[in-house]
Amino acid sequence: MLSARAIRKAYPGTVALKGVDFDIHHAKVNVLIGENGAGKSTLMKILAGIEQPTSGTLHYRGEALHLTHPREAIKRGIGIVHQELNLCANLNVAENMFIGKELKGPGGTVRLARQRRIATDVLARMGQRIDVDALVQELSIGERQIVEIAKVLVSEVDILILDEPTSSLSKAEVGVLFSLIEELKRQGVSIVYISHRLEELIEIGDTFTVLRDGNLAGTGVAGEVTVDWLVTRMIGAQMEGPLRDGRAAATFADRPVALRVEGLEASGVNGGLALKQLSFSIKRGEIVGFYGLMGAGRTELFETLIGLRRALAGTIEIEGRRLPLDGTIAERIRAGIALVPEDRQKLGLVPNRSVADNLLLANLERYAGITGLRSGRMRRDVSRCIDELMIKVSDPEVLVSTLSGGNQQKAVLGKNLLTEPKILLLDEPTRGIDIKARRELFEVIDRLAERGLTILYASSDLGEIISGADRVLVMSQGRITADLQREELTEARLVASSQVQRRDTRKESA
């Protein structure tokens, strides 16, 4: 369908692609993989007309292709779903799905009713019941990711580029997406699929292309490619041990309670409750995983604990000290809570500021002196943070928006660690992070827990939940439906517990 040859892309101070070849085969899932910063997203932006190559050629159906604007790619049937969501929060779902390609009637009026019908049909085809009249700002990030995919599918596409499409989806929701991909293949659509979940790639991929440091590191086809094959070409060596090493079992019976939550309630959309009488306690140094399907309330819980979402009832205590329910985010940070949010672009970073500024912004009080900010201490902390978290950056003064997704995530983590928290909340911490960075991240998490930091993390990845947590709290529809110790953790039990309340709700409705 499409061939890229000797693609080179140079930016000031760096070369993102160094003569890469890439082929997209008809009605196949064409996997593209590499570490953060390998050049995957840059190549996809070139294929979608967002960026132009410094040199190299593109051929589409055997003819030379020159794309100078995304609309030219769309007219050719090339659609892209970006890793970072690109939706208008103040518009509803249907309006977002048709933005820039509105259906016009007589006199140029927009045919809103027809757009709504098509939007509803596309979402139903994806196995989703998202209200097309709901504002995007009212949706969870997982629902927004589905809308982003649906936005591309309302147009006729021959090539669909999916950049980390499952990063916020549970196992059940990934199954729905994979079924949709198989249906699109039957219809003749060619898929370009980018993900850091290796087992997922082996399951869905037909052809495989690996990039490393802007170079082509290898190609293969289904049946020949294994996880070890991918890892060897991604990082240049075989990876020893599992992707996520679980830390040694620890006993917490004699440790003090670091966080206690009793009867917590918080509002959701359309007047409902996002959290319903949540109660739990977590010991100092404990790593507790939160698992649940999309809309279970995990993100809403973390937002309530940090003060981003106001609690309606209940109590929150840190080391025995009760926090006011109407506390601000700054007050919660001073109390010892830090949040690495699921949506790093919206809530975690200031993209037009430098890496150094982003690392320091949450904790400027720490550097205040008599005559101003202590620049020497600031530089030392930035350097230490970059080294400890292995953030790939040539200069701390470059814009954080120029970093790869995984390194941006590390910057958000570093910013929060510099506040010296007692409770660290991690919402989908490995979203958009490659296997090497994921391992490094959890090694940092384990070290922090050994020092006494209490860590709560929400993940849609069952492997991360099972191998990384001392204990798992399963959520469904704003409630905790299971409290499982490490020895009780199985995929079957987690999935079953995550759907308990959903089954009860359907029974009540019937």
Side-chain angles (χ1 to χ4, degrees), residues 1-4 23-24 58-65 76 159:
M1 288 290 289
L2 190 149
S3 293
D23 290 323
I24 300 175
L58 299 178
H59 286 83
Y60 184 61
R61 297 180 182 270
E63 297 181 359
L65 178 65
R76 294 290 191 122
I159 295 175

Side-chain angles (χ1 to χ4, degrees), residues 27 179-189:
S179 296
L180 175 64
I181 288 173
E182 290 300 325
E183 176 59 29
L184 290 173
K185 285 170 59 179
R186 285 191 287 271
Q187 295 173 16
V189 178

Side-chain angles (χ1 to χ4, degrees), residues 167 288-292 297-302 339-340 342 424-431 442 455-461 464-465 473 475:
S167 58
V288 177
F290 282 76
Y291 180 74
R298 300 168 304 164
T299 295
E300 290 80 359
L301 169 61
F302 286 8
L339 169 66
V340 176
E342 181 180 21
L424 178 62
L425 312 175
L426 303 168
D427 196 358
E428 296 287 356
T430 62
R431 181 172 178 262
F442 274 107
I455 298 171
L456 289 65
Y457 75 97
S459 177
S460 303
D461 188 312
E464 285 180 4
I465 287 288
L473 296 176
M475 294 186 66

Side-chain angles (χ1 to χ4, degrees), residues 321-367:
R321 183 165 70 89
R322 188 166 176 172
L323 305 182
L325 293 183
D326 60 351
T328 64
I329 294 175
E331 289 170 343
R332 295 289 171 85
I333 291 173
R334 283 194 287 269
I337 302 178
L339 169 66
V340 176
E342 181 180 21
D343 191 343
R344 60 175 171 262
Q345 293 295 323
K346 180 181 177 183
L347 300 174
L349 297 170
V350 182
N352 62 343
R353 304 289 299 201
S354 70
V355 174
D357 285 347
N358 273 272
L359 289 171
L360 299 169
L361 276 175
N363 201 27
L364 288 176
E365 290 178 350
R366 170 190 178 100
Y367 307 103

